[in-house]
Amino acid sequence: MTTFIEGQFDIAVIGAGHAGCEAALAAARLGLKTAMLTLNLDSIAFLACNPSIGGTGKGHLVREIDALGGEMGVNADKTSIQMRMLNAGKGEAVQSLRCQCDKNAYHTEMKRTLENTPNLRIIQGEAKEILTDGGRATGVLTTYGGIIRAKAVIVATGVYLNAETVTGELRQKSGPSGFAAANHLTDSLIKLGYRVRRFKTGTPARLDGRTVDYGKCTVQAGEERIPPFSFLNEKAAPNARVCHLTYTNPDTHKIITDNLDRSPLYNGDIRSAGPRYCPSIETKVVRFADKERHQLFLEPEGLDTNEVYVQGMSSSMPFDIQREMYRSVAGLEQSDIMRYAYAIEYDCIDTLDLYPTLEFKKVAGLYTAGQVNGTSGYEEAAAQGLIAGVNAAFAITGRPPLILGRSEAYIGVLIDDLVTKGTDEPYRIMTSRAEYRINLRQDTADFPLTPKIAETALFTPQSKAPDERRKQLYESAMNALNQKADKKLLARLEIGGSPTYADLIRRGETVTEYFSDYPAEIFKSAETTVKYEGYIKKNTQQIERAKKLEEKTIPPDIDYDEIKGLRLEAREQLKRVRPLTLGQAGRIYGVNPADVTVLIVWLATRV
C-alpha cells in the first residue's frame, strides 16, 4: 500500500461521535490545527440509541460542558422537541434537565458547526495505527495509506472497535445502526500497551408510529418555563412533541422466559459485560421476576420521521420473538417494527492506564475519551472529549492541564472514578456517585467552572456577556433575600420580629411574588442556596479538609515494595493505579485509611 502525507496538524482526533466532536471543537477553538477522522460523515454526532440528551446526573454533565465552552448543550437546545425536568419533586441537587432531540437535526446541526469551525478539517476514513516516536504520539496511519501527522492524538472511537451486533442467532461485523465497524485499530492500541477488554450495550426496536395505538398509553408532555441546557440561551425551545408511557405485562414476560434459550445473553453467545443500570428487557424480566410489569416510554425520533424509540425495552432476542413480545404490550398490538433491537459488543480500554488528563501513561500525547474508556452515554462521552481536547491543546501550548476535582464538577467525579477505581462494566454517571452533590447543582454550574476557561478562546465574547449578567443578577438576588421582609407579608403570615426573606424561606414560606423582576432560574438558584445553606457550608468544610490530602503529591517513581506496613492488596493496587496524590490513593479500591496513614508517614520521612 502506498502511503502519503495527508497533512501536518497539531491534534488528530479519531472518531466523530459525541466525544470526538467535543474534543475536535475544543482543540480547534483553542487555536490548534486539528484533524478529525471519522468512518462515515453521516455518523457525526449520531444518536445511535435514545435520541435524547440529559437525564439524572447526565443533565449536570451537559450544563458543565456548556459552562466550559463545549457544544452539546447548545446543540441540544437547537434540536430539542421536548424538554422536561426530571426529579422535580425531589431536592434541587438531584433534579436534572432532559430533552428529547430530533435525531437527524442533532447530527445535521453538529456537522454544520464542525464544518464551519476554523482550524478544523474533517476526513472520512478509518484509523489503522497510532504512530509514535520515542514514546510520544506523532500521528495516525489510515487504512487507505494517508498519514495524519500530529503532536497529539485523541482516540474517541465509541463502540466501533471490532464491533459486532447481535440479534438472536444473527451476529454481524457492524457498528451501530448498520454503520461500518473499525476493525484495525485495536491491535495498534494493544501494541502500545493498552489493556483491552470487551463490553456490551444494546438498543431497543424502533416502531412505525402510525401503527401505535396511543389511546391505550399515558401522555408524557413536555414542561414549560424550565431553563435550556446552554447558559447562552434565555429559554428552552418550545415543546413540539409528546411522549407516551405504557407497560409490559405477564404475557410479555412469558414470551421472554419461554425463549431464554434463544437469548444471546442467556445461551452463552454474549459473554461481555453489559450496563448494570440500563439492562435489557430480558435481564429485567429475569432479575426482577416478582414484578408484573416494567414501564416503557414511547419517544419520537424526530419531526421528519415516524420512527418511535421504545425506551426500556432494549433486547437482543431473535427477530421473530421481538415481533411477538413488542406486540404483547398495550398500545403496540398492531405495531410494525422499522428497526429491530440489537446488542453490540466492542473493544474498550482499562482506564487505570490513564492520567486524570485522560492521557495514556505509557505514551505521551496520546489521549482517549468516551465509550472507548468504558463509559456509557452521550453525555459522559462528550464530557471526556472536551477534557481530552482541552488538555491536549494545553499540553502543546504549555498551559497547565485542566483537571477538575470531585468537589468541583460531575465531570471531575466521572474522570476520577475512571482513572482511580476503573470500571468492569459500562460506567454511567449518577448523582449518588458525587459525595458533594449539594455543591454541584446544574443551575449554578457556570459560576465555578466558566472562570477556569475565562482566559482562553473557549470563553468567547458571545459567552462573556450572559456569564457576567447571570453572576450580577444572582448576587443581587442573594443580597435582596437577606433584606428584612415586607411588613405586609409578615402580617399576612402572622410572624413577628424582623426576619429576612431568607429566614422566611428557611421556615418553608414562599416569597417568590416579591422577586418577580429576577429571571425565574436566577431567583430559584438564590432561593436554593438559602434553603440549603447549612448543608452547603458543611460540604464546603469537608471539601477543605479533603484538599489537604489532594495537595500532597506522591512521586511518580515511588517503589511501593519498599514501604513496610502496606498490606499486600493495597501495595498491588497502588502499583497498578500509581496515584498522583494521597487523596487519589485513598479512593482506590483495596486501599484503606490505615494504608493512607502508612503512606503519609513514609512520605514525611522522605521530605
Side-chain angles (χ1 to χ4, degrees):
M1 179 180 62
T2 302
T3 61
F4 66 98
I5 304 301
E6 184 78 59
Q8 179 69 54
F9 299 87
D10 294 308
I11 295 175
V13 179
I14 303 174
H18 306 285
C21 288
E22 294 292 350
L25 285 170
R29 287 168 173 171
L30 287 168
L32 282 294
K33 188 177 180 183
T34 306
M36 184 172 73
L37 185 68
T38 176
L39 286 168
N40 192 325
L41 292 173
D42 296 332
S43 67
I44 290 175
F46 187 70
L47 299 169
C49 200
N50 196 336
S52 69
I53 297 295
T56 306
K58 294 170 178 284
H60 291 74
L61 288 178
V62 180
R63 286 213 126 190
E64 290 174 359
I65 291 166
D66 187 75
L68 291 167
E71 192 68 20
M72 176 170 270
V74 174
N75 209 58
D77 286 344
K78 286 180 183 178
T79 60
S80 172
I81 60 176
Q82 188 196 79
M83 287 286 293
R84 297 183 65 205
M85 182 70 77
L86 303 189
N87 294 331
K90 299 181 180 180
E92 280 81 352
V94 297
Q95 293 178 11
S96 294
L97 282 167
R98 180 189 185 276
C99 84
Q100 197 70 24
C101 291
D102 186 304
K103 185 173 192 168
N104 291 329
Y106 191 93
H107 152 74
T108 301
E109 286 296 326
M110 186 66 83
K111 184 169 181 282
R112 181 180 293 117
T113 297
L114 290 159
E115 288 178 348
N116 290 284
T117 296
N119 304 315
L120 178 58
R121 179 183 170 192
I122 306 171
I123 306 169
Q124 180 167 296
E126 181 178 351
K128 180 179 182 180
E129 182 183 351
I130 306 295
L131 304 177
T132 62
D133 184 19
R136 172 171 290 279
T138 58
V140 180
L141 172 65
T142 67
T143 55
Y144 59 82
I147 295 175
I148 301 171
R149 288 180 174 169
K151 300 172 185 176
V153 175
I154 301 171
V155 179
T157 47
V159 299
Y160 285 82
L161 286 184
N162 284 334
E164 294 182 300
T165 56
V166 185
T167 303
E169 297 84 6
L170 180 64
R171 177 179 285 268
Q172 296 177 296
K173 286 277 188 182
S174 173
S177 299
F179 288 113
N183 297 316
H184 296 87
L185 192 60
T186 294
D187 289 343
S188 178
L189 297 178
I190 292 173
K191 288 178 183 177
L192 291 172
Y194 282 106
R195 289 173 287 190
V196 173
R197 61 267 185 87
R198 198 92 170 141
F199 276 4
K200 166 257 173 189
T201 188
T203 191
R206 273 66 162 180
L207 307 180
D208 185 337
R210 297 171 300 175
T211 64
V212 175
D213 185 353
Y214 292 110
K216 294 183 178 180
C217 307
T218 304
V219 173
Q220 291 274 303
E223 297 177 48
E224 305 296 336
R225 295 186 296 278
I226 59 175
F229 272 118
S230 178
F231 293 106
L232 301 179
N233 297 327
E234 293 188 357
K235 61 180 181 179
N239 294 304
R241 289 289 186 273
V242 297
C243 299
H244 291 82
L245 174 66
T246 186
Y247 297 88
T248 61
N249 54 61
D251 290 340
T252 314
H253 300 180
K254 187 175 188 304
I255 292 168
I256 292 170
T257 55
D258 285 351
N259 291 279
L260 284 178
D261 60 319
R262 296 184 63 196
S263 167
L265 290 174
Y266 290 92
N267 64 18
D269 190 27
I270 291 178
R271 296 187 178 90
S272 49
R276 184 190 316 180
Y277 301 103
C278 189
S280 66
I281 187 63
E282 48 265 45
T283 299
K284 286 191 280 191
V285 168
V286 171
R287 187 181 296 169
F288 307 107
D290 57 319
K291 288 187 175 292
E292 292 188 354
R293 66 179 191 173
H294 294 281
Q295 64 182 14
L296 307 174
F297 292 94
L298 307 180
E299 300 171 335
E301 293 238 315
L303 301 179
D304 63 348
T305 178
N306 292 323
E307 288 186 74
V308 174
Y309 181 94
V310 188
Q311 182 188 340
M313 207 167 181
S314 66
S315 177
S316 59
M317 293 293 277
F319 296 86
D320 56 318
I321 303 304
Q322 284 191 38
R323 180 180 173 87
E324 190 177 351
M325 71 185 194
Y326 278 100
R327 286 192 167 187
S328 70
V329 174
L332 308 184
E333 294 90 346
Q334 303 299 319
S335 64
D336 289 334
I337 295 176
M338 296 179 73
R339 302 181 199 238
Y340 282 88
Y342 60 86
I344 185 166
E345 293 187 290
Y346 56 95
D347 293 341
C348 57
I349 67 149
D350 186 342
T351 48
L352 294 181
D353 289 333
L354 306 179
Y355 290 117
T357 57
L358 298 181
E359 185 179 26
F360 187 33
K361 292 177 180 177
K362 297 179 181 178
V363 179
L366 180 54
Y367 301 77
T368 51
Q371 286 182 275
V372 71
N373 281 348
T375 57
S376 173
Y378 312 138
E379 301 82 2
E380 290 89 340
Q384 294 170 71
L386 175 65
I387 296 301
V390 168
N391 281 326
F394 280 7
I396 291 171
T397 56
R399 295 178 64 100
L402 176 62
I403 299 175
L404 301 176
R406 300 181 69 90
S407 62
E408 295 179 295
Y410 273 84
I411 295 176
V413 174
L414 162 66
I415 293 177
D416 184 69
D417 279 351
L418 292 175
V419 304
T420 302
K421 302 174 183 177
T423 181
D424 293 325
E425 62 187 27
Y427 177 100
R428 177 178 181 173
I429 195 66
M430 294 179 289
T431 54
S432 60
R433 296 189 190 273
E435 58 269 46
Y436 306 117
R437 58 185 172 273
I438 194 67
N439 288 46
L440 304 180
R441 304 198 320 259
Q442 62 174 352
D443 59 310
T444 54
D446 55 330
F447 294 161
L449 295 183
T450 299
K452 293 181 179 294
I453 52 101
E455 301 303 318
T456 74
L458 293 175
F459 191 58
T460 65
Q462 291 78 14
S463 63
K464 184 176 182 180
D467 177 70
E468 292 180 345
R469 181 171 178 271
R470 277 176 48 80
K471 286 180 181 177
Q472 291 170 357
L473 287 170
Y474 174 79
E475 291 169 359
S476 174
M478 288 296 297
N479 289 333
L481 285 173
N482 284 301
Q483 301 301 312
K484 292 182 180 179
D486 181 80
K487 292 181 180 179
K488 293 181 180 179
L489 173 63
L490 296 177
R492 188 171 77 236
L493 296 174
E494 297 181 353
I495 295 175
S498 302
T500 64
Y501 290 104
D503 293 328
L504 296 180
I505 289 172
R506 284 189 281 266
R507 293 179 54 159
E509 304 293 349
T510 300
V511 300
T512 309
E513 61 184 293
Y514 289 87
F515 295 86
S516 58
D517 290 342
Y518 290 94
E521 187 185 15
I522 291 292
F523 175 71
K524 185 179 180 183
S525 294
E527 185 181 41
T528 299
T529 300
V530 167
K531 190 186 302 183
Y532 293 99
E533 186 177 21
Y535 295 102
I536 293 171
K537 285 182 178 179
K538 184 177 180 181
N539 251 6
T540 302
Q541 292 168 356
Q542 292 172 340
I543 291 168
E544 289 301 316
R545 288 195 295 269
K547 273 185 180 179
K548 295 178 180 179
L549 288 180
E550 294 296 339
E551 291 170 354
K552 292 186 180 295
T553 59
I554 299 175
D557 58 348
I558 185 172
D559 185 352
Y560 290 102
D561 290 326
E562 287 186 359
I563 305 176
K564 295 180 180 180
L566 280 178
R567 295 174 307 109
L568 179 60
E569 180 186 15
R571 183 178 287 113
E572 292 303 312
Q573 290 293 82
L574 287 165
K575 287 162 64 177
R576 185 183 183 197
V577 178
R578 305 207 70 82
L580 301 179
T581 68
L582 284 172
Q584 186 184 6
R587 294 190 294 274
I588 298 172
Y589 290 129
V591 177
N592 63 32
D595 298 313
V596 175
T597 300
V598 170
L599 275 175
I600 292 172
V601 173
W602 188 87
L603 288 170
T605 64
R606 296 299 187 274
V607 174

